[in-house]
Amino acid sequence: STVSAGSSPISAMTFLIGDRSLVVGQANGALSIWFPVRADAETESFALARIRDFPAHTAAIVEIEPSQRNRTFLVKDAGGTLGLYFSTSQRTLWKGPSPVAEATAMLISPKGNGAFIASARELAYVDIDNPHPEVSWRALFGRVWFEGYQKPEHVWQSTGGTDDFEAKLSLT
């Protein structure tokens, strides 16, 4: 089935770790997270749903680079602004100008503690110091919509059995 992303064209998209959450960037600067949600309780059918929206950029989203470690992702817009986000806690971790003019490539390091930004002639390394991006007031005390869940819920589950697992840290 198809769903509408709105009136602005999709300009970039990628999967986050686990290949269930999809980050969608649009020409109007909109940035959102989508994943499949069970259409109804009695069938095995799923529908793609827009789960979270982040503050829009002022220019078209042109590149999205996911972390290999967690649900952090780096975004570049057509105006040269970068943004670092965490999907589940819906946090904007950082937003600012690219250290490389006209960047054409980005890569988050395997440990998630830095990123490389490159253009045709320059390469820059940016330190990332954010040991717990999954923690926010909303994540600790509010209902969070986790991948694979029918709706937002209060959930506590501190460990899991796969590399793409995400701790669920609700204190409610």
Side-chain angles (χ1 to χ4, degrees), residues 71 88 134 146 155-160 165-170:
R71 285 167 180 79
T88 310
E134 70 280 1
F146 291 100
V155 179
W156 171 264
Q157 182 183 5
S158 61
T159 61
F165 170 79
E166 175 173 34
K168 296 160 183 73
L169 304 172
S170 175

Side-chain angles (χ1 to χ4, degrees), residues 52 88-89 138-140 142-146 151-155:
R52 296 181 188 89
T88 310
S89 60
R138 180 185 311 191
L140 292 176
R143 288 181 172 85
V144 176
W145 202 337
F146 291 100
K151 62 185 189 301
E153 297 182 29
H154 294 289
V155 179

Side-chain angles (χ1 to χ4, degrees), residues 37-93:
V37 176
R38 189 176 305 276
D40 62 63
E42 284 131 34
T43 68
E44 288 297 315
S45 64
F46 290 82
L48 193 60
R50 188 176 193 145
I51 305 300
R52 296 181 188 89
D53 287 293
F54 290 86
H57 282 237
T58 57
I61 304 298
V62 294
E63 189 171 352
I64 304 168
E65 175 62 29
S67 170
Q68 301 168 40
R69 184 178 187 90
N70 57 27
R71 285 167 180 79
T72 300
F73 57 98
L74 184 61
V75 171
K76 178 185 173 291
D77 70 29
T81 298
L82 301 179
L84 187 67
Y85 303 91
F86 192 81
S87 172
T88 310
S89 60
Q90 200 171 350
R91 287 182 58 197
T92 300
L93 305 172

